[in-house]
Amino acid sequence: MELICPAGTPSSLRTAVDAGADAVYCGFRNETNARNFPGLNFSPEELAEGVAYAHRRGAKVLVAINTFPRAGAIGLWHQAVDDAVKAGAAALILCDIGLMAYAAERYPGTRLHVSVQAAAANVDAIRFYMERFNAKRVVLPRVLSVPEIAAITRDTACEVEVFVFGGLCVMAEGRCSLSSYATGLSPNMNGVCSPASHVDYEERDGAVTSRLGGFTINKFGKGEPAAYPTLCKGRFRTELSTGYIFEDPVSLDAATLLPGLRDAGVTALKIEGRQRSRAYIENVVRSFCEALSALDEGRPIPAGMLRPLSEGQSNTLGAYRKTWR
């Protein structure tokens, strides 16, 4: 299985390639990609240099143009497609069908991958992208179990890519409006979910309260680690209980499921974390390279090695095991 690794900066791209990534995915420094945060991403010139660096070392670069264009501003997204192809991207990761039509018509020789933001979670949807736009791969949303993934691969010739480590979005990506409601900035159109510009922490008597867009997301007792206030990972009070209603502030780690994912027909494994450090990227990439080597050689896959790099230093199998409330 191919290992697809994140790169939020040119130095992170080099780190991922040097650590053994088969391919690196990245985006431009604007709202055309879903990690549109200050200090991250690439200029067209930096992307071309990164592609050349990766090619010299036998790796590929995939460019994520995975937000939905704003009305009246489609030119920015068309330019991103043009710049990515010009730089030599191995594939474009797209979610908007209008943008897919543009790319397929203008650059029929460039591979199209269906972004997780498109939320293509069944065979009919995947077949539509294949037939209409000649899509070669689909990145499945993080709401499917391993048997459900196997059912999809049995009925489609499209390559399948799944997330195996990093931040866990429990929503049908591309459909969630929680962060938009709280901050006025859309993950799906502006490329920012729970942006740091709208985050606030208040410490009082040793306890920490975290807020997003003025909304209280969580309260942490003295000595309790304070997680980043992503809205869906906050603690909420209902008539039944108070707790993590949507998802705990933990990271996905599906390393122990690699045999099942391989048997399910998965083509590529994706690591989340374009906003993370070079040290994070190097450690996670090397760990998964070792896990894949162990899988190929029939050795046990080490478990829990990446817990110190996980959100809240805790891991989950997410929807792969469908154990949530």
Side-chain angles (χ1 to χ4, degrees), residues 219-280:
K219 292 183 178 180
F220 303 92
K222 189 172 183 179
E224 185 181 5
Y228 188 86
T230 305
L231 203 155
C232 63
K233 297 183 180 181
R235 271 188 277 215
F236 296 87
R237 183 183 300 114
T238 73
E239 61 182 15
L240 300 177
S241 64
T242 297
Y244 295 107
I245 301 299
F246 296 111
E247 181 59 86
D248 298 75
V250 297
S251 288
L252 173 69
D253 185 354
T256 58
L257 298 183
L258 293 186
L261 294 172
R262 176 198 58 192
D263 296 344
V266 168
T267 301
L269 308 172
K270 191 165 196 169
I271 295 169
E272 188 275 340
R274 281 192 279 159
Q275 72 277 30
R276 302 296 295 268
S277 69
R278 284 179 295 164
Y280 167 94

Side-chain angles (χ1 to χ4, degrees), residues 25-27 31-35 63-69 77 93-96 99 115-118 174 187-189 191 270 274:
Y25 67 99
C26 55
E31 60 193 284
T32 63
N33 93 87
R35 286 292 182 272
V63 178
I65 308 173
N66 58 341
T67 54
F68 296 89
W77 278 260
I93 307 172
L94 307 177
C95 60
D96 180 72
L99 200 58
S115 169
V116 68
Q117 287 289 102
N188 309 317
M189 298 182 70
K270 191 165 196 169
R274 281 192 279 159

Side-chain angles (χ1 to χ4, degrees), residues 1-324:
M1 292 180 286
E2 191 177 5
L3 188 60
I4 315 295
C5 304
T9 63
S11 60
S12 294
L13 182 149
R14 295 189 292 270
T15 296
V17 170
D18 292 346
D22 295 307
V24 174
Y25 67 99
C26 55
F28 289 114
R29 198 173 291 132
N30 55 41
E31 60 193 284
T32 63
N33 93 87
R35 286 292 182 272
N36 183 25
F37 295 116
L40 290 183
N41 301 311
F42 291 67
S43 68
E45 296 75 21
E46 289 169 335
L47 177 63
E49 293 170 1
V51 169
Y53 184 90
H55 285 178
R56 288 195 299 268
R57 289 156 179 80
K60 298 178 291 187
V61 175
L62 319 178
V63 178
I65 308 173
N66 58 341
T67 54
F68 296 89
R70 288 182 288 107
I74 188 65
L76 180 64
W77 278 260
H78 285 177
Q79 188 64 54
V81 169
D82 297 342
D83 289 341
V85 174
K86 182 180 178 181
L92 306 176
I93 307 172
L94 307 177
C95 60
D96 180 72
I97 58 174
L99 200 58
M100 287 188 191
Y102 173 84
E105 293 164 7
R106 184 68 65 92
Y107 305 106
T110 298
R111 280 177 62 99
L112 296 186
H113 292 185
V114 181
S115 169
V116 68
Q117 287 289 102
N122 59 71
V123 171
D124 288 340
I126 295 168
R127 187 175 294 126
F128 169 80
Y129 290 112
M130 292 176 65
E131 293 175 353
R132 292 297 182 93
F133 310 116
N134 197 29
K136 300 298 186 183
R137 179 180 296 181
V138 59
V139 185
L140 294 179
R142 287 162 276 193
V143 295
L144 298 172
S145 67
V146 176
E148 288 170 334
I149 293 170
I152 287 174
T153 63
R154 280 196 301 268
D155 290 335
T156 178
C158 190
E159 297 174 1
V160 166
E161 181 174 317
V162 300
F163 282 90
V164 291
F165 190 85
L168 178 62
C169 180
V170 300
M171 306 304 173
E173 284 106 334
R175 310 285 192 266
C176 179
S177 296
L178 284 176
S179 180
S180 305
Y181 178 82
T183 68
L185 294 175
S186 167
N188 309 317
M189 298 182 70
N190 306 113
V192 284
C193 177
S194 304
S197 57
H198 289 66
V199 168
D200 175 61
Y201 295 94
E202 179 184 6
E203 185 173 2
R204 181 177 298 176
D205 299 327
V208 174
T209 298
S210 63
R211 297 185 179 88
L212 178 71
F215 292 92
T216 297
I217 304 300
N218 217 330
K219 292 183 178 180
F220 303 92
K222 189 172 183 179
E224 185 181 5
Y228 188 86
T230 305
L231 203 155
C232 63
K233 297 183 180 181
R235 271 188 277 215
F236 296 87
R237 183 183 300 114
T238 73
E239 61 182 15
L240 300 177
S241 64
T242 297
Y244 295 107
I245 301 299
F246 296 111
E247 181 59 86
D248 298 75
V250 297
S251 288
L252 173 69
D253 185 354
T256 58
L257 298 183
L258 293 186
L261 294 172
R262 176 198 58 192
D263 296 344
V266 168
T267 301
L269 308 172
K270 191 165 196 169
I271 295 169
E272 188 275 340
R274 281 192 279 159
Q275 72 277 30
R276 302 296 295 268
S277 69
R278 284 179 295 164
Y280 167 94
I281 290 171
E282 181 176 10
N283 279 284
V284 175
V285 173
R286 291 193 187 282
S287 176
F288 270 89
C289 285
E290 169 59 25
L292 286 170
S293 294
L295 180 66
D296 290 340
E297 297 166 8
R299 294 184 282 112
I301 296 174
M305 293 174 56
L306 295 173
R307 187 168 288 115
L309 297 175
S310 302
E311 186 176 355
Q313 297 194 2
S314 299
N315 296 325
T316 179
L317 291 173
Y320 287 126
R321 289 284 170 85
K322 294 276 173 127
T323 56
W324 47 40

